[in-house]
Amino acid sequence: MALLADYHTHSKYSRNGHGKGTVEENVRVAYEKGLRQIAITDHGFNQKAYGIRRCDIPNLKRDIADAMERYPIDVLLGIEANIISSKGDIDINDEDYKDLDILLCGFHRFVTASTRRERINFINKNIFCELMHHTTKKQIERNTNAYINAMRKYDIDIITHLNHGCKVDVEKVARVAKETNTLIELNGKRLGMSDNEILTCYRMGCKFVLSSDAHRPNRVGDCHLGLEAILRLRIPESAVVNYNDIPNLKKSKRKKRS
Ligand SMILES: [Zn+2]
Ligand SMILES: [Zn+2]
C-alpha cells in the first residue's frame, strides 16, 4: 500500500522565502520516496507577497523539463489558485490555464480580491471570523457560493484545504464537487475539515486526494495527516485517487469535464 503521487507542492517560485526548495529538489525527494508523479503548484498570481509571477512561468517550465530529464518521474506544472471573490472568481485566466497541467484552488488570506468590495466582504470578513472563532451564517453562505461558483466556472482539479480559513457548508460544496468531478484534498499540513465533514464528502460520493502541501523539499510526499484520517474513518482506498493508484489528472491526458 503506497502513496504514488503528490499533487500539491511549493517551490521557490512561491517567492520571498515562502517555498524553500528548487523544482529539482522537490522532484528528487518525490523520486526517492517512490512517487511516480509530482505536481509543482506554487501560489497564484494575486498573492502579491509570495505568489508566483506570470513572468516566472517560462522558467518553471524549463526547470520541470530539466528535472524530468534527470529523474524518471512525471512532473506536472500546476498552480494553487486563489479564490478572489464571493462569486467564485480565481486568479487564473484562460491564457494562464493553457500553460497548466493541473489546477488547484483554495482560499488564502493575503491576496488581492477582484474588487475593493470583495476585499471587504469576502477576504477581510473571513479573516475576522477566524479571529473570532465564529463564522456567521451569512458568511458561510457567501463562502459556500464562492466555492460552488468557482468549481462551475473553472476546470479545477483539486480543492485545497477546504474549510481552512473560510468556513463553508461542506455538504453543499461536496455535492458540486461530485457533480463537477473535482477532487477534495486531505491536506498534509492542516485538514481544515472535521471527521464528520470528511465523512459527509465521502457519503456525497466525492473522491479524495492526499497531498503534502510541502513548502520545503523534505516534506514532499508527507501525507500522513490525510492518510490517518482515511484509516480512522474507514474510508475505502477506492475513494482516494492517489493511493495505490495514479489518476489521469494531467490535463493533456484526461477527458475534459465538458
Ligand atoms: Zn493553500
Ligand atoms: Zn499550498
Side-chain angles (χ1 to χ4, degrees):
M1 302 230 286
L3 182 87
L4 297 182
D6 188 350
Y7 296 112
H8 186 173
T9 76
H10 295 267
S11 75
K12 280 187 168 169
Y13 288 108
S14 292
R15 288 167 302 135
N16 292 318
H18 189 76
K20 307 286 187 234
T22 61
V23 169
E24 196 203 325
E25 286 168 328
N26 280 15
V27 171
R28 188 180 66 226
V29 173
Y31 173 68
E32 285 169 358
K33 289 189 176 176
L35 303 188
R36 294 203 220 135
Q37 268 192 335
I38 175 176
I40 308 295
T41 55
D42 286 299
H43 288 291
F45 306 117
N46 278 33
Q47 207 141 18
K48 297 297 180 203
Y50 48 84
I52 188 170
R53 294 172 300 190
R54 283 190 169 86
C55 63
D56 285 328
I57 296 290
N59 299 328
L60 174 57
K61 275 187 182 170
R62 189 204 56 219
D63 289 359
I64 286 177
D66 287 351
M68 280 209 281
E69 290 220 332
R70 287 175 164 228
Y71 302 94
I73 173 171
D74 200 15
V75 185
L76 278 60
L77 193 162
I79 279 190
E80 186 183 14
N82 299 294
I83 301 192
I84 54 170
S85 85
S86 57
K87 298 180 184 70
D89 298 306
I90 69 171
D91 56 352
I92 298 291
N93 62 34
D94 289 350
E95 273 306 300
D96 301 324
Y97 184 67
K98 287 181 189 161
D99 287 320
L100 306 183
D101 295 316
I102 184 172
L103 176 59
L104 279 54
C105 179
F107 175 84
H108 300 90
R109 285 179 292 179
F110 303 112
V111 299
T112 307
S114 62
T115 61
R116 194 171 163 270
R117 197 185 170 87
E118 292 290 348
R119 142 94 11 222
I120 295 164
N121 283 336
F122 184 55
I123 310 281
N124 289 359
K125 278 201 178 151
N126 275 313
I127 294 173
F128 183 73
C129 291
E130 278 298 291
L131 283 173
M132 294 291 119
H133 301 287
H134 174 72
T135 306
T136 59
K137 242 176 135 179
K138 190 170 177 197
Q139 192 63 28
I140 288 178
E141 203 182 309
R142 189 180 277 139
N143 295 343
T144 302
N145 286 333
Y147 276 89
I148 287 175
N149 291 333
M151 285 187 284
R152 289 198 169 135
K153 272 195 216 176
Y154 301 94
D155 211 2
I156 297 167
D157 295 282
I158 299 172
I159 291 292
T160 60
H161 44 67
L162 184 63
N163 243 5
H164 173 72
C166 181
K167 298 281 181 256
V168 297
D169 182 325
V170 170
E171 187 173 328
K172 287 184 183 161
V173 171
R175 182 174 295 123
V176 178
K178 159 80 178 155
E179 179 191 306
T180 54
N181 203 14
T182 309
L183 298 167
I184 303 287
E185 176 193 68
L186 295 177
N187 188 286
K189 276 169 54 183
R190 49 176 92 89
L191 279 179
M193 287 184 287
S194 66
D195 282 0
N196 270 338
E197 289 167 335
I198 295 171
L199 282 172
T200 297
C201 292
Y202 172 61
R203 289 196 195 103
M204 299 299 289
C206 293
K207 297 275 188 196
F208 298 100
V209 60
L210 301 173
S211 60
S212 67
D213 198 3
H215 284 65
R216 56 180 70 245
N218 64 3
R219 277 212 61 254
V220 169
D222 175 2
C223 301
H224 73 276
L225 260 190
L227 191 53
E228 281 163 17
I230 290 292
L231 297 173
R232 181 171 69 242
L233 301 172
R234 300 180 185 205
I235 290 173
E237 231 172 79
S238 58
V240 184
V241 297
N242 59 334
Y243 195 60
N244 292 334
D245 205 2
I246 289 274
N248 266 347
L249 288 193
K250 200 167 181 174
K251 193 172 68 185
S252 57
K253 288 188 182 167
R254 69 177 156 82
K255 286 187 193 125
K256 291 282 282 180
R257 268 193 283 273
S258 84

